[in-house]
Amino acid sequence: MNFELFVVKRLISANKDKSSISSPIIKIAIAAIAIGVVMMLVSFATGLGLQKKIRDKIAAFNGHIIITNYDNNSSEVTLEPVSKDQDFYPDFNAVSGITHVQGTATKAGIIRTADDFEGVIVKGVGTDYDWSFFKDFLVAGKLPDYSSNLNDEVLISRYLANRLHLKVGDRAPTYFLREGRDRPFVRGFKIVGIYDSGFQDFDELYLIADLRHIQKLNGWKDNEVGNFEVFINDFDQLDEKWNDVYLNTGSFLDAQHIGQKYYNIFEWLSLFDFNIALIIGIMILVAGINMITALLVLILERTQMIGIFKALGTQDWSVRKIFLYNSGYLILLGLFWGNVIGLGLLFIQKYFKLIPLNPETYYVSEVPIYISWDYILAVNAGTLILCMLMLLIPSMIIAKISPVKSMKFE
C-alpha cells in the first residue's frame, strides 16, 4: 500500500509538469468536473429556490390547506359562512404537523377614485392572522392592527396603488354589492401599508382588511368566517396532511390543498424536477467521459512503467488502483474549484440579487436561491462515486498490457 501511495504521489507530481503530454487533457478533465459541479449546484439552488418561493407566496394568500363550506363551489369569494365552533380551531390537535389555523373571509368590491377604478377581492383577517409572510412583502407603511376595535386600516398591493395613484395615508373608497339592495355599500378604507409579493396574480386582486367588515357586509355572526387556512410544517407531506385534515373535519366541510386549487402552477413547478435531473445526468456524463479520456491518456503515457510493474510481479488490480487513486485526486480537484465558483455565484445572487426575472412569467422579481447542505453533499459525493465507477471499466485495459511489449513501447 505504501508503494502504491508513493507511485500515486509521483504521478500527481508528474501531472503538474507543464511539459507532460497529458497536462492539457488533465486540465480539460478538471475543468469539466468543475463546470459540471457549478451547473448542478446552480440547477439545484435555482430550481428548488423557485419552487419554494412560489409555494410560500401561494401559501401566504391561501394557507397550505383551505377548509370551506361545500356551498362555496371553489369560488374566490366566500359565499356561505363557517362557524368558528370547530374541534380543529384554533388548534388542530387531531393531526400532527399543523402549525397554525386562521379564519378569513373574502368579498368582491370595487375601489373607485376620482380618476379610475379597479375590481378587488377584499380579504378579511382577524386577530388570529399570521402576518409573517406580509412582513417580508411590506414595502411602505406598516401592517394593519386589528387586535382592538373595528377600524378602517387596510393593506394594499403596490400594483393596485400604482394603478390607482394611491399612497400610504390615502383613503380608498370601496364599493360592495349586497343582495336585495339597489345601492352599494361604501367603506372608506385608510391605506396604512403597501405590500409587493411579486406574484401579480394575487397582487392585482387582494386588499387586506378587518374581518369584521366582511361579517357586517354579509350579515354574518361574530363567530362566523368564510374559510379556515391551515398551515403545515413540511410541504413534502402536503397530500398526506390534506387527507388527514379532510378526514378530521365535519361532513359539511370541504378541504382542498393549494396543489389542487392551483394545479397548473404546481404542474409547471414539477417540471423543474425533471430539468434538474436532466442537467445532473448530462453533467456527470460529460465529466465521466472527460475523466475516462484523461485516464486512458495517463495509461498510454505510462505504458512502460506498467510493464515494469507487471514484470516485477505486481498484480493488475494493484496497478489499476494506482491510476484510480490519481484519477480520484483529479476529480477532487475539480470538485474543489466547482464548489468555490458555484457557491460563490450562488451567495452573490442570494444577497445582491443581480439577476432579475419577469414576475409576470416566473412570479418572482429575481432569481431565488435556496442553499442546503443536503444537495451540496449529494452533488459532491454523487459526482465522485459515479465518476470513479465509470473509470473502473476503462482501467481494465491495464490487464491487457504485455510486460514484454510494453517495455519496448515508445
Side-chain angles (χ1 to χ4, degrees):
M1 184 65 179
N2 293 333
F3 173 72
E4 293 173 358
L5 292 175
F6 170 76
V7 175
V8 170
K9 291 179 180 179
R10 296 292 296 174
L11 286 171
I12 292 172
S13 177
N15 286 334
K16 297 177 181 177
D17 184 4
K18 294 183 180 180
S19 64
S20 174
I21 64 171
S22 65
S23 292
I25 301 297
I26 290 175
K27 290 178 181 178
I28 292 174
I30 293 173
I33 295 287
I35 293 172
V37 171
V38 171
M39 293 295 293
M40 287 186 282
L41 291 178
V42 170
S43 298
F44 267 113
T46 56
L48 296 177
L50 189 61
Q51 289 178 326
K52 188 175 186 300
K53 197 76 171 180
I54 294 176
R55 289 197 317 243
D56 288 346
K57 288 185 177 183
I58 296 176
F61 289 91
N62 299 270
H64 293 111
I65 302 170
I66 308 102
I67 302 174
T68 61
N69 194 307
Y70 271 111
D71 293 333
N72 283 321
N73 296 321
S74 301
S75 172
E76 288 291 337
V77 177
T78 49
L79 305 174
E80 296 294 331
V82 181
S83 174
K84 284 186 176 181
D85 298 328
Q86 307 288 340
D87 293 336
F88 58 78
Y89 181 81
D91 299 314
F92 212 130
N93 297 320
V95 179
S96 61
I98 302 296
T99 59
H100 184 63
V101 181
Q102 59 193 26
T104 66
T106 54
K107 190 172 182 64
I110 297 175
I111 299 177
R112 183 176 179 178
T113 64
D115 303 317
D116 209 344
F117 65 92
E118 282 288 337
V120 296
I121 293 179
V122 179
K123 180 172 182 177
V125 303
T127 56
D128 60 354
Y129 193 72
D130 182 1
W131 291 101
S132 58
F133 289 106
F134 280 92
K135 286 180 181 178
D136 296 331
F137 299 159
L138 194 66
V139 294
K142 64 175 185 177
L143 295 174
D145 182 10
Y146 304 139
S147 59
S148 56
N149 296 328
L150 174 67
N151 61 62
D152 296 330
E153 294 182 349
V154 295
L155 190 65
I156 192 173
S157 70
R158 175 187 282 173
Y159 175 88
L160 289 172
N162 290 339
R163 287 181 65 88
L164 296 170
H165 307 290
L166 296 171
K167 61 183 183 299
V168 174
D170 288 347
R171 287 281 175 178
T174 308
Y175 295 77
F176 300 92
L177 293 178
R178 186 173 180 183
E179 188 177 353
R181 298 295 182 96
D182 295 332
R183 301 183 62 180
F185 285 92
V186 184
R187 290 291 184 271
F189 293 127
K190 179 183 178 181
I191 299 173
V192 296
I194 298 175
Y195 74 89
D196 185 4
S197 72
F199 205 117
Q200 188 169 321
D201 288 7
F202 293 143
D203 288 355
E204 66 186 10
L205 286 179
Y206 284 101
L207 178 79
I208 311 300
D210 195 323
L211 173 63
R212 288 168 288 190
H213 285 295
I214 308 298
Q215 291 171 333
K216 288 180 176 296
L217 290 168
N218 289 340
W220 294 351
K221 299 177 182 178
D222 292 341
N223 69 334
E224 290 180 329
V225 295
N227 56 53
F228 292 98
E229 296 176 349
V230 180
F231 292 85
I232 61 176
N233 57 12
D234 187 358
F235 189 87
D236 293 333
Q237 297 182 347
L238 181 61
D239 286 326
E240 177 186 344
K241 296 304 176 184
W242 162 74
N243 186 62
D244 292 341
V245 168
Y246 182 81
L247 294 176
N248 285 276
T249 54
S251 57
F252 295 100
L253 298 178
D254 186 26
Q256 183 183 38
H257 65 67
I258 54 176
Q260 298 166 328
K261 186 174 181 179
Y262 300 97
Y263 176 80
N264 291 335
I265 295 177
F266 281 90
E267 277 295 297
W268 172 67
L269 287 178
S270 67
L271 294 177
F272 285 88
D273 295 330
F274 172 78
N275 294 339
I276 292 172
L278 182 63
I279 291 173
I280 290 173
I282 293 174
M283 290 298 101
I284 290 180
L285 182 63
V286 170
I289 291 174
N290 279 275
M291 284 306 306
I292 289 172
T293 303
L295 177 62
L296 293 176
V297 171
L298 286 173
I299 293 173
L300 180 65
E301 186 183 21
R302 291 166 178 80
T303 302
Q304 287 185 329
M305 184 189 73
I306 295 171
I308 293 173
F309 285 165
K310 297 182 76 172
L312 293 173
T314 306
Q315 296 181 352
D316 290 337
W317 175 239
S318 295
V319 180
R320 287 173 64 188
K321 284 194 293 184
I322 293 173
F323 287 91
L324 291 174
Y325 289 151
N326 192 48
S327 298
Y329 166 80
L330 299 179
I331 294 172
L332 290 174
L333 195 58
L335 290 175
F336 170 77
W337 286 112
N339 280 278
V340 170
I341 297 171
L343 292 176
L345 292 174
L346 294 178
F347 278 111
I348 289 173
Q349 175 61 22
K350 183 178 177 68
Y351 292 107
F352 296 100
K353 306 183 188 307
L354 300 181
I355 304 176
L357 288 177
N358 183 357
E360 294 183 6
T361 303
Y362 295 99
Y363 305 107
V364 291
S365 56
E366 71 277 333
V367 176
I369 301 298
Y370 174 70
I371 298 176
S372 171
W373 285 111
D374 293 342
Y375 71 76
I376 294 175
L377 294 175
V379 164
N380 285 273
T383 302
L384 177 62
I385 293 171
L386 291 175
C387 285
M388 291 300 293
L389 290 175
M390 292 172 69
L391 293 176
L392 288 176
I393 296 177
S395 68
M396 293 175 64
I397 194 174
I398 293 173
K400 299 183 179 297
I401 295 177
S402 169
V404 176
K405 293 182 179 180
S406 63
M407 286 187 285
K408 296 180 180 179
F409 178 79
E410 294 183 2

